[in-house]
Amino acid sequence: MRKTTLLLLVPALMLAACSSEKPADHSPDGYHRPLPTPSEAAVRQHIPDPQATDTLLPTVTGPFGARATISVPKAVPTGRFVVMPMNEGRGRAARNGDAAIVKYSAVVWKTGKHLPDSYAAGAHPRVFSVGRGSILAALDRAVHGQRAGSRVLVVAPAAAAYGSTGNARLGVSGKDTIVFVVDVMRVIAAHETITGSQADVSEDLPRVRMNRAQGTAAITVPDHGAPVELTVEPLVTGAGPVVKSGQTVVLQHSSTAWESARGKDQGELFMSSHAAGEPLIALIGRGNVLPGWDKALVGQRVGSRVLVVIPASLAYGEHPPKGITANTSVVSVLDVLAAA
């Protein structure tokens, strides 16, 4: 996990640790977990290079974007790791650092047992950074290089799925081969930004100019104190669906500290997804990011750019990251690229 992401997640996790309430059903990195990631032991194992086909393969029926019907041969799998496109989409091809939104179906080869997938009641699509090791190798490698709109068959031996320890909760042993059918719903470029003319805001608020070459925001903070309340100003209003609490969002973000930036031509960014080389992917409305972000983003439309001035109580409070003064307000410019 990259430094800029940690700056967002750590304060929220500290707050959660002090709460007596039952934690939400998600992990600290902001991803839904209907399909758990492999154990540490599995990660350390050698993952074979995928092949394009095999002498023995499952058969798959059903349309793109719907649960696949997977028929597994009675014979023992060969043990090869197979990533085989079944049809090619016409959208962007996924590259390292891009954000992928996928739906998948999954069965255990040996037993034919269905694993939790994207089509169960209450399930969400899977959202992850391509090539960053944040998800099962089987899914990551299935998406890499594929175009949005593609359906991909994946035959994953244990090393590419749950490793030698398996997953007891799912009934997967350390020797099980898992069959996935992965639909690449959308690919978001690592440096994609929102387009459109920005609305004017009050002179009492920071001025935002976008550096289109770099994708970062140039933020000019007025030479006076910050607002005492959370301030949310749409700069570009998107036409996409409304972001709901519990969804995973894909964001580009730039942030500066009000006090250190006030009165300067441009505030220094202490946090930027573009500097990290990939958009931030996080669960929203559940305490996984800065509280001010949670409050600001729920209810926004996908495709929006939002200026958020966050008082210290909803940012880092008395325990900011290194280089930021305690009890300072934070100014963030957020591009809402997707929500799933």
Side-chain angles (χ1 to χ4, degrees):
M1 188 178 298
R2 292 173 179 261
K3 181 179 178 181
T4 52
T5 305
L6 287 172
L7 291 175
L8 291 167
L9 301 183
V10 171
L13 295 176
M14 291 173 62
L15 292 173
C18 298
S19 172
S20 60
E21 296 180 0
K22 183 179 178 180
D25 186 22
H26 54 69
S27 72
D29 63 5
Y31 298 102
H32 286 280
R33 294 296 185 204
L35 184 69
T37 53
S39 66
E40 183 179 351
V43 172
R44 290 197 299 264
Q45 293 183 135
H46 173 69
I47 300 171
D49 292 329
Q51 301 183 24
T53 189
D54 200 356
T55 55
L56 188 64
L57 291 170
T59 58
V60 178
T61 57
F64 174 88
R67 176 179 278 146
T69 299
I70 304 171
S71 299
V72 181
K74 293 182 179 180
V76 175
T78 65
R80 296 185 181 95
F81 180 20
V82 178
V83 174
M84 186 179 79
M86 301 184 67
N87 65 273
E88 184 177 6
R90 297 183 178 181
R92 177 182 171 83
R95 302 182 179 93
N96 286 345
D98 289 352
I101 302 177
V102 307
K103 292 184 177 181
Y104 61 86
S105 308
V107 301
V108 181
W109 181 299
K110 182 178 180 179
T111 64
K113 176 182 178 180
H114 289 268
L115 297 180
D117 62 19
S118 303
Y119 305 99
H124 293 261
R126 191 74 169 181
V127 188
F128 60 93
S129 294
V130 178
R132 302 306 196 201
S134 61
I135 197 170
L136 294 178
L139 295 186
D140 196 358
R141 298 197 182 187
V143 169
H144 193 278
Q146 305 298 332
R147 292 186 177 277
S150 299
R151 168 164 279 193
V152 185
L153 171 65
V154 182
V155 180
Y162 294 102
S164 60
T165 57
N167 187 296
R169 185 173 68 83
L170 295 179
V172 176
S173 79
K175 296 182 179 180
D176 275 327
T177 292
I178 310 298
V179 180
F180 297 94
V181 176
V182 181
D183 290 339
V184 185
M185 307 304 294
R186 185 178 173 190
V187 176
I188 301 164
H191 292 286
E192 183 173 324
T193 56
I194 298 301
T195 59
S197 299
Q198 291 189 173
D200 294 329
V201 299
S202 167
E203 293 183 358
D204 291 332
L205 294 176
R207 187 173 74 253
V208 176
R209 305 182 309 280
M210 296 304 298
N211 184 326
R212 297 192 181 279
Q214 298 178 1
T216 54
I219 304 172
T220 302
V221 175
D223 193 11
H224 57 67
V228 296
E229 301 290 339
L230 178 69
T231 303
V232 182
E233 287 288 338
L235 298 177
V236 179
T237 301
V242 172
V243 176
K244 299 177 182 178
S245 180
Q247 286 190 305
T248 299
V249 297
V250 182
L251 300 171
Q252 299 288 16
H253 60 87
S254 301
S255 294
T256 190
W258 182 290
E259 287 304 320
S260 63
R262 60 180 288 184
K264 296 181 180 179
D265 289 339
Q266 183 175 327
E268 181 179 355
L269 300 181
F270 69 86
M271 182 167 58
S272 166
S273 56
H274 297 280
E278 60 191 25
L280 176 71
I281 299 171
L283 192 66
I284 287 297
R286 301 293 175 84
N288 281 56
V289 293
L290 295 179
W293 281 27
D294 268 344
K295 291 178 178 293
L297 288 170
V298 173
Q300 300 295 333
R301 289 191 175 276
V302 173
S304 297
R305 172 174 294 140
V306 186
L307 169 66
V308 187
V309 182
I310 311 170
S313 60
L314 295 176
Y316 299 105
E318 297 180 354
H319 305 284
K322 185 177 180 180
I324 302 176
T325 305
N327 296 314
T328 190
S329 296
V330 170
V331 182
S332 294
V333 177
L334 310 176
D335 281 9
V336 187
L337 302 179

